[in-house]
């Protein structure tokens, strides 16, 4: 398939696909007219690359991880590669915890704002009960 089709099927821009190829993450062949041609199996590979990038990994790390993610490329990972996997997993776990704390803080602000708006928009009878004191003359 050509780069436009791969882009449509994966959501990755043609520019990103060319970048992945420059980084050694994708391989294409060239038509006689110079157009890139990709094998069918590259769709899943692009999805995996995009997932790793969205997790915050850089190109060098993604390049080192990719051979370990496919059975036909997989060998026994080197111990330092396993250490890198563990480090990346810890970094991602920390980022998730941080995002969850941020989300919880936002939920608190949203909930408090909604409650305050509802309280101020309610008619006086729905707010606090009013006690009337008789006027003595």
């Amino acid at each position: 398939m050509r780069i436009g089709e791969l882009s449509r099927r994966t959501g990755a821009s043609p520019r990103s696909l060319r970048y992945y190829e420059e980084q050694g993450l994708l391989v294409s062949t060239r038509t006689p007219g110079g157009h890139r041609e990709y094998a069918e199996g590259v769709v899943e590979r692009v999805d995996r690359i995009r997932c790793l990038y969205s997790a915050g990994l850089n190109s060098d790390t993604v390049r080192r991880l990719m051979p370990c993610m496919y059975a036909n490329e997989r060998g026994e990972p080197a111990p330092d590669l396993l250490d890198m996997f563990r480090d990346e997993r810890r970094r991602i776990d920390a980022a998730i915890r941080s995002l969850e704390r941020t989300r919880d803080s936002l939920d608190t602000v949203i909930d408090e704002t909604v409650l305050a708006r509802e309280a101020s928009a309610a008619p006086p009878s729905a707010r606090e009960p009013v006690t009337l004191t008789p006027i003595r003359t």
Side-chain angles (χ1 to χ4, degrees), residues 128-134:
E128 297 179 26
V130 177
T131 305
L132 298 176
T133 308

Side-chain angles (χ1 to χ4, degrees), residues 13 16-17 31-33 37 44 51 61 68 73-74 86 95 99 115:
S13 69
S16 293
L17 295 170
T31 65
E37 286 278 331
E44 191 273 333
C51 179
T61 303
C68 299
E73 298 176 13
R74 188 178 313 159
R86 289 182 188 107
L99 288 169
L115 288 174

Side-chain angles (χ1 to χ4, degrees), residues 69-81:
M69 298 189 147
Y70 294 93
N72 62 348
E73 298 176 13
R74 188 178 313 159
E76 188 64 32
D80 64 328
L81 191 57

